[in-house]
Amino acid sequence: MIFRCKDPAENDSQGCFFMECFYFRTDPENSSALQQESIYDSQIRICTNTTRRECISVFYRMLREYTKFICDRTFFMRMEEAVMKKKIIFAALALSLACSGMLVQAAQLPEPGENGIITAESWREMYPEIVASFDANNDNNYRISYIEEDPYITNLYEGYGFAIDYTSAVGHTYCLEDVYNTERPHALANCLTCKTPDFTKMVNDIGEEVYSYDFQETYGSMVESVGCYSCHENKVPEENNLSVTHSYITMALGEEYDGIAPEILACGQCHIEYYFDPETKATRMPHSDIATMGPEATLAYFDEMDFADWTQESTGTRMLKAQHPEMETYLSGSFHAKMGLTCADCHMGESTSEAGVTYVNHYWRSPLENADLLETCAQCHKDTDMKEKVQAIQDEITARESEVGHALSDLKDGLAEAVAAGSYTDDQLDEIRKIYRSAQWYWDYCYVENSEGAHNSAFARECLDKSEELIGEGVAKLEALEA
């Protein structure tokens, strides 16, 4: 691909000039010969008063047309569209500034606040469109009580905070507020792990001892909910900088870290299964690579270290509580993950302002609520009604969660009755407790994953099927005790 200035004689009366893009491909009959193809609508107009942001925007628009021109040709090349963009964007941006004859000085960074964080509000003057889209997360404030929707979960979570308060996820801008207001107990500061970049920077600056600080005292110094620093640190967003600011994910993944797309890791550093180290109280991930991310390997990890989130009083079972394993679910064989699509591809996308500025939309929501993203889906799904398709998957998985969850609740009640009877040995009960713990883990792994099957429907079915299988084993063991 070649970017070049057109003949200076063609500059217009305002001192602006045009650039055009050419795509060169190999002649199939002569591999040493190149054939030139001009890209449709590939000229852009650059003026001496063009701002840096406007310059980048128009060049990015050209890049999108270039990748569309290439990727529309075949299905497989379309899979690589995101990868192709990444490879050419930096060269294109640098060339755009050089060819325009403008010496643009690096933008002055806003001043960090008292915690060393440049807040989203501080970036507003430089990136008004991006910050405005970020502000739209405030509109996502409708909360659903899962306890009211699925009362049986209070039985399954008996003795744990989620039996007291468990509501649906809302906009990221509410994370800090919600963790403070929840009725679930939070004695230590580690509950702030993914709720505010202020805490993240505190851990990175001071060390893991911060995790064991008092929650109330630490909360008082927190300023911002999830913000720009969470995924970019204090870097200029337009330079396509993505950061994993949480050290536990780099510690856990090791060499596998570079094998996962930054656009997945940036989100996955919080949208994962995690636990608190029993001794240090530090946040940890229970796996070391993609192969060990699934529920089976994670369960084995917890079993080996004899870990439990809590002990359920009525059953005497050392229980596990899954968190929100979105990254693990997506990377566990999802078709779209195999295509190379990332979290950002489906939950962000590009938008264009009324002034014609193209920017990455930071309103994180379902792609079903984003008309621009639905058009992207149509490249492969054609005339499929995506809202209807995804809703059907979510209805199916939600119904199965309820069916399996009720059966799991019945198993729990049967085990509690056996414990209360006092007629059985610990060895007899422990065998059933182990089955119950595992069955609850597989069910919970699906129940708490926020896509309700949309991220990986086959994987969700596998988790629920495994839970149901284990429930059957547990019921059979209970019946054998009573016989």
Side-chain angles (χ1 to χ4, degrees), residues 13 18 50 74 77 161 251 263 309 331 349-350 396 404 428 431:
S13 59
F18 293 90
T50 302
T74 67
M77 293 186 75
M251 290 169 54
E263 295 87 347
D309 285 295
L331 292 178
E350 295 174 2
E396 173 204 343
V404 175
Q428 290 174 312
E431 185 178 10

Side-chain angles (χ1 to χ4, degrees), residues 344-369:
D345 290 321
C346 296
H347 292 282
M348 297 178 72
E350 295 174 2
S351 295
T352 303
S353 70
E354 294 181 358
V357 176
T358 300
Y359 61 96
V360 178
N361 195 313
H362 281 61
Y363 179 16
W364 301 299
R365 51 182 166 161
S366 166
L368 302 181
E369 299 173 7

Side-chain angles (χ1 to χ4, degrees), residues 251-267:
M251 290 169 54
L253 292 178
E255 294 181 359
E256 285 277 326
Y257 176 85
D258 292 330
I260 302 175
E263 295 87 347
I264 292 178
L265 285 173
C267 300

